[in-house]
Amino acid sequence: YLQGPEMNGAKVGEIVDRTLSATQAREIPVEQAQKVPMFDWRQLQRWGVNENGLPPDSVVRFKESTFWELYKWRIVGVLTLLVLQTAFIAALLVERRRRRRAKQALDRLNAELEERIAARTAALNAKSRELETFAYSVAHDLKAPLRGIDGYSRLLLEDHAPELNDEGRSFLKTINSSTEEMSQLIDDLLDYSRLERREFKPSPVELGSLISTIVGQKKREMTDRSVDFVVNVNGVSVVADMNGLTQSLRNYLDNAVKFTQKVSEPRIEVGSEETQKNVLLWVRDNGVGYDMKDHDKIFNIFQRLNHNEEYPGTGIGLAIVRKAMERMGGRAWAESQPGEGATFYLEIPK
């Protein structure tokens, strides 16, 4: 081996590199060929010499790497990947458990909600039946004395009219008209309450024949007036509640007849128009009309724009129309100008 106390690591490395790169010994200058302790690792292993016992600055060549030195970084990478994978799987399991608990909580909440809805629905149905029984009872109890008042007042007018003066006969006529109005109000309230509880039964309805029948009935009822009815309805059909639609059209016609009674040539038009999604019906009159600022009032119950002495009514007819249209998924509205008549619309989904 080569020895040289002044030989440092850099010189040793340079000489070794040149030797390993097939540089001939004679090509290395003598001043650079200093003595360096060099050993063959294979011989050391054969002789059983430990590397720790070699002189300082010794160079061991042809050393074989251990398994750990060869695959250290691969092992570290695999272990790191396993740790990450384990952490990811653990996170998925935790999230799955959290979702399962959330689903169980949601199922419990839904079950409780369904129980509450069922209980409240049962209570509401019971109250509705009680209200229906109460309404019929009240109507019967109210109409019985009304019939008595109306009957006795008519008997007074028929049998004792000569014994009464003009003022007395006027009082009896007022009593008769008031009992008739009260009876009509009770009937309208019952119709409104029945409409809310009645089962909705959709069926195909041909508008042409239905409107012709309703207009014909209205003409036969009007024996003291002459009204020009114009029907412009094509043969379109809709699926709707027959009772609700019939009642709505009758209320519209009654309303048009009532508000054209002071017109010299009353005219009422019933028409229809079919769109892609809906069927539009309207009842147009040339009556007194109303201001559109009061539009929302006329479809509310007990809301009237005119005095009862001029145009008698209960203020429930148009409220019934709106309620019937809401049950059928449609809508009801009107357009008007004071003194120019009004047009009342029904929109029915196909």
Side-chain angles (χ1 to χ4, degrees):
Y1 55 87
L2 300 177
Q3 293 182 349
E6 73 282 355
M7 197 66 178
N8 54 29
K11 293 292 184 178
V12 172
E14 180 182 353
I15 295 173
V16 171
D17 290 340
R18 294 180 64 182
T19 303
L20 293 178
S21 61
T23 304
Q24 298 295 326
R26 59 177 175 271
E27 298 179 5
I28 301 176
V30 176
E31 61 272 10
Q32 294 183 4
Q34 302 185 23
K35 298 179 180 179
V36 177
M38 301 183 65
F39 300 91
D40 189 331
W41 181 84
R42 293 168 295 183
Q43 296 299 330
L44 293 177
Q45 294 296 316
R46 182 184 302 171
W47 297 333
V49 179
N50 192 347
E51 296 182 29
N52 296 327
L54 298 177
D57 298 328
S58 298
V59 176
V60 179
R61 307 301 298 176
F62 310 111
K63 185 178 181 180
E64 294 181 1
S65 300
T66 62
F67 180 83
W68 171 251
E69 293 174 343
L70 289 175
Y71 301 102
K72 175 176 59 177
W73 296 112
R74 295 184 182 181
I75 294 173
V76 171
V78 170
L79 292 177
T80 303
L81 183 61
L82 289 175
V83 170
L84 293 176
Q85 186 177 7
T86 303
F88 180 71
I89 294 175
L92 289 179
L93 292 176
V94 171
E95 179 65 16
R96 180 183 178 183
R97 186 176 182 182
R98 186 190 67 80
R99 291 190 179 185
R100 184 170 62 251
R101 290 181 176 179
K103 185 178 182 302
Q104 293 174 353
L106 182 61
D107 291 340
R108 288 195 299 269
L109 181 61
N110 289 335
E112 294 176 0
L113 183 60
E114 289 178 359
E115 292 177 358
R116 292 181 183 178
I117 292 175
R120 292 185 180 182
T121 302
L124 181 61
N125 291 334
K127 292 296 183 182
S128 179
R129 288 191 295 269
E130 293 177 3
L131 181 61
E132 183 177 359
T133 304
F134 174 77
Y136 278 107
S137 300
V138 169
H140 182 270
D141 294 341
L142 286 177
K143 295 193 77 171
L146 282 177
R147 286 193 295 267
I149 294 172
D150 182 67
Y152 282 115
S153 62
R154 290 182 185 277
L155 288 175
L156 283 175
L157 282 176
E158 293 174 0
D159 299 338
H160 301 279
E163 302 174 9
L164 299 174
N165 55 19
D166 293 339
E167 187 177 14
R169 288 190 290 272
S170 176
F171 288 162
L172 288 177
K173 291 179 180 178
T174 302
I175 292 173
N176 284 336
S177 62
S178 298
T179 54
E180 291 177 358
E181 291 176 6
M182 186 65 180
S183 179
Q184 185 62 44
L185 177 61
I186 293 173
D187 291 337
D188 290 345
L189 284 174
L190 285 176
D191 289 339
Y192 188 81
S193 62
R194 290 194 195 102
L195 184 64
E196 184 67 29
R197 298 187 303 272
R198 188 176 62 200
E199 183 181 359
F200 178 72
K201 297 180 179 180
S203 60
V205 179
E206 185 182 355
L207 295 179
S209 60
L210 175 63
I211 293 175
S212 298
T213 301
I214 296 174
V215 171
Q217 292 175 353
K218 181 58 62 177
K219 287 181 179 180
R220 289 190 294 272
E221 293 174 1
M222 298 177 59
T223 58
D224 56 341
R225 288 183 57 194
S226 177
V227 178
D228 182 19
F229 285 94
V230 179
V231 178
N232 184 17
V233 179
N234 53 21
V236 66
S237 297
V238 295
V239 177
D241 180 37
M242 172 68 82
N243 294 328
L245 182 58
T246 302
Q247 191 172 21
S248 299
L249 289 171
R250 284 177 178 169
N251 289 356
Y252 269 1
L253 286 175
D254 290 340
N255 192 73
V257 169
K258 177 173 63 176
F259 287 102
T260 56
Q261 62 184 1
K262 295 183 179 181
V263 178
S264 58
E265 296 181 358
R267 185 176 186 272
I268 298 175
E269 177 187 354
V270 183
S272 69
E273 179 182 352
E274 183 178 6
T275 63
Q276 185 177 1
K277 297 181 179 180
N278 304 300
V279 174
L280 188 65
L281 293 174
W282 65 81
V283 177
R284 182 176 293 119
D285 63 72
N286 59 345
V288 295
Y290 66 91
D291 196 332
M292 285 297 291
K293 68 180 182 180
D294 300 320
H295 176 267
D296 293 336
K297 294 181 180 179
I298 62 175
F299 285 95
N300 293 331
I301 192 169
F302 299 131
Q303 294 293 327
R304 305 184 71 249
L305 303 181
N306 306 95
H307 296 291
N308 196 46
E309 293 79 8
E310 295 179 339
Y311 301 99
T314 60
I316 303 177
L318 295 181
I320 291 177
V321 174
R322 170 174 282 182
K323 180 64 67 176
M325 286 298 103
E326 289 176 354
R327 293 290 306 277
M328 288 185 280
R331 66 188 184 107
W333 76 98
E335 297 176 356
S336 177
Q337 291 293 333
E340 298 182 5
T343 303
F344 288 81
Y345 295 94
L346 297 177
E347 186 179 66
I348 308 168
K350 288 186 178 178

